[in-house]
Amino acid sequence: MHGNGHLQQIGNSYRQGKKDIDYNENPFIVIWEVTRACQLKCVHCRADAQPVPDPRELTHEEGIKLIDDIYEMNNPMLVFTGGDCMMREDLFELADYAIKKGMRVSITPSATPNVTKEKMEKAKQVGLSRWGFSLDGPTPEIHDRFRGTPGSFELTIEKIKYLNELNMPLQINTVISRYNYDHLEEMAKLVADLKAVMWYIFLLVPTGRGQLNDCITPAEHEKVFRWLYELSKTAPYDIKTTAAQHYRRVVLQQKMREHKIENGEIRYEDTITTDKASMIDGLKRAPKGVNDGNGFVFVSHIGDVMPSGLLPIVCGNVRETPLSKIYRESKVFKDLRQPDNYKGKCGVCEFRYVCGGSRARAYAVTGDYMESEPFCVYIPLAMRKKEMRH
């Protein structure tokens, strides 16, 4: 079963209660960009956000139909994002509709004056499961520079304090880049002070306004991952990563070292335990790595469907084709769900089912979504064995 004591190649499904979820059939999470309108001018903006809503945005009726389609795909998690999702007039009606169907819905609005106490109370009444705010530095200087908007830091802290008063679960989203790499210790402390339940770490992908020279180096990625793993043992919040698939490899390697398993027989699911300190990426639900197009799908403000917001290849539009058909049948999506076919070291890496590298970053840097993750230092076992033979 384990073969050569390698990591077992995990199949494409995992247990969720009594239901099997097969990423070939259904996503684990759907991100819907409900609008592109936003008042901020963030340097890394994937959406190249606009100050006013696009007249071509999905209508309320189209939004309801989309929610129905998403629900039919085994009821994945649904996140409303933007732009600034608060700039969409019917946001709470859409959320209310989805929640009444029994869906888990989160929102990630921008911290702007649009986020009023009244809106937060409404969100709580509707039953939104989590509210995500972006904080990209522990000080106004760092955060505001990154967000391109003076006063954004103070405003964000103020809004978070409202949330705390309302006892609403808070997720803090942070993009790690050159701007804040040297300030992560202070950031970790601030996330705790703000009573977040989840720290969601994004590793910069050079797309939209995010540029290559703002990315940290491959070696710095590795350092960040090791630091995050140690932090995860004591932090009062869960840590989850995006566009940082190789964090899962680091977690697994560290666990193998701790359990003194040298090339021994260890399977990825063996490392998923229920105690918080040793959970992988804080999500008991998804032992298998979610990646662009593989458990993850993004719907744009005009209905275009992509593997993720950071992998902007349009594979269809929900106005013409049901989301499930695009997710299951598009060539791009199908390619992305075949880690054995990845090029270079990702395709032979023993961690390819757990990690697979950021397909978005591979695409941003090389133009090929099947290429190797360009910001990974790890040399797969298969390549090391080959070197030894020569």
Side-chain angles (χ1 to χ4, degrees):
M1 180 82 169
H2 297 278
N4 315 332
H6 284 191
L7 261 171
Q8 183 200 8
Q9 293 179 359
I10 311 301
N12 255 12
S13 66
Y14 68 86
R15 305 290 297 174
Q16 186 185 31
K18 293 199 172 81
K19 292 185 293 187
D20 272 339
I21 288 197
D22 177 353
Y23 290 168
N24 289 311
E25 287 297 311
N26 298 311
F28 178 69
I29 187 165
V30 179
I31 310 281
W32 177 20
E33 171 192 68
V34 293
T35 182
R36 271 231 171 148
C38 184
Q39 295 164 346
L40 301 181
K41 302 174 190 66
C42 305
V43 290
H44 68 295
C45 183
R46 161 202 62 73
D48 284 325
Q50 320 300 330
V52 291
D54 186 321
R56 300 169 302 159
E57 266 173 22
L58 294 179
T59 64
H60 181 74
E61 289 67 32
E62 287 170 327
I64 294 291
K65 182 180 176 298
L66 175 60
I67 289 168
D68 288 341
D69 279 0
I70 293 167
Y71 178 77
E72 291 306 317
M73 296 176 80
N74 207 5
N75 195 7
M77 285 198 283
L78 173 60
V79 179
F80 291 141
T81 185
D84 175 9
C85 54
M86 283 291 169
M87 289 185 76
R88 183 157 174 134
E89 300 286 314
D90 61 349
L91 180 72
F92 290 119
E93 287 91 89
L94 292 167
D96 188 47
Y97 179 77
I99 290 161
K100 284 191 171 130
K101 280 181 86 84
M103 298 173 80
R104 290 162 298 159
V105 184
S106 302
I107 55 173
T108 58
S110 308
T112 68
N114 282 329
V115 180
T116 60
K117 201 162 187 177
E118 183 192 43
K119 282 188 178 163
M120 288 187 176
E121 281 166 353
K122 196 167 179 187
K124 189 175 181 180
Q125 282 160 12
V126 166
L128 282 161
S129 59
R130 191 179 295 154
W131 193 298
F133 271 129
S134 292
L135 205 54
D136 294 299
T139 63
E141 294 71 33
I142 300 167
H143 175 85
D144 291 357
R145 185 177 158 215
F146 194 60
R147 293 276 149 191
T149 311
S152 170
F153 180 84
E154 297 303 339
L155 196 62
T156 303
I157 299 293
E158 178 194 310
K159 304 301 180 191
I160 286 173
K161 286 184 174 157
Y162 277 175
L163 270 191
N164 284 338
E165 277 172 38
L166 290 168
N167 280 326
M168 272 192 82
L170 162 71
Q171 169 179 315
I172 289 179
N173 302 330
T174 301
V175 179
I176 294 182
S177 68
R178 279 272 146 258
Y179 289 83
N180 58 10
Y181 174 70
D182 294 325
H183 303 274
L184 296 177
E185 291 283 355
E186 298 133 88
M187 251 331 278
K189 185 180 177 313
L190 181 60
V191 174
D193 292 345
L194 294 170
K195 303 185 177 69
V197 296
M198 171 81 82
W199 191 16
Y200 213 127
I201 305 274
F202 296 76
L203 270 292
L204 188 64
V205 171
T207 178
R209 293 179 198 152
Q211 294 313 310
L212 205 51
N213 51 3
D214 290 334
C215 293
I216 60 174
T217 67
E220 286 166 340
H221 274 74
E222 202 75 2
K223 266 168 84 173
V224 167
F225 296 149
R226 288 184 181 192
W227 173 77
L228 278 175
Y229 174 67
E230 289 308 316
L231 175 68
S232 74
K233 295 174 180 178
T234 56
Y237 43 78
D238 285 332
I239 294 168
K240 174 86 177 71
T241 55
T242 283
Q245 278 73 10
H246 34 328
Y247 176 55
R248 299 190 188 109
R249 165 183 56 77
V250 171
V251 168
L252 201 45
Q253 288 174 309
Q254 300 296 82
K255 282 184 186 296
M256 286 162 84
R257 281 185 199 113
E258 285 163 14
H259 295 295
K260 301 200 169 29
I261 299 169
E262 305 293 333
N263 288 331
E265 299 198 341
I266 183 168
R267 294 175 310 162
Y268 186 53
E269 55 255 49
D270 293 342
T271 67
I272 307 287
T273 60
T274 48
D275 64 299
K276 182 170 172 291
S278 55
M279 264 199 301
I280 289 220
D281 75 11
L283 271 184
K284 294 188 195 77
R285 294 179 304 270
K288 183 176 162 289
V290 173
N291 208 329
D292 309 287
N294 189 8
F296 193 104
V297 60
F298 178 90
V299 182
S300 85
H301 63 302
I302 55 171
D304 285 338
V305 177
M306 308 172 208
S308 78
L310 296 165
L311 210 178
I313 300 175
V314 178
C315 301
N317 189 292
V318 297
R319 284 179 161 138
E320 288 126 40
T321 317
L323 180 64
S324 53
K325 189 173 166 68
I326 300 169
Y327 179 82
R328 291 166 190 161
E329 297 176 18
S330 142
K331 180 190 182 305
V332 173
F333 276 84
K334 284 171 115 166
D335 283 349
L336 290 165
R337 294 193 289 263
Q338 297 295 324
D340 291 343
N341 295 342
Y342 293 164
K343 297 178 184 171
K345 66 181 188 179
C346 279
V348 296
C349 184
E350 66 275 24
F351 293 99
R352 62 191 175 276
Y353 283 88
V354 175
C355 165
S358 167
R359 299 294 97 218
R361 199 177 292 104
Y363 179 72
V365 174
T366 69
D368 182 349
Y369 55 80
M370 295 298 274
E371 260 306 339
S372 274
E373 158 68 69
F375 284 77
C376 175
V377 293
Y378 183 69
I379 309 292
L381 216 52
M383 290 172 87
R384 278 178 280 159
K385 283 184 173 164
K386 206 169 159 188
E387 281 298 307
M388 280 156 66
R389 284 200 297 270
H390 285 307

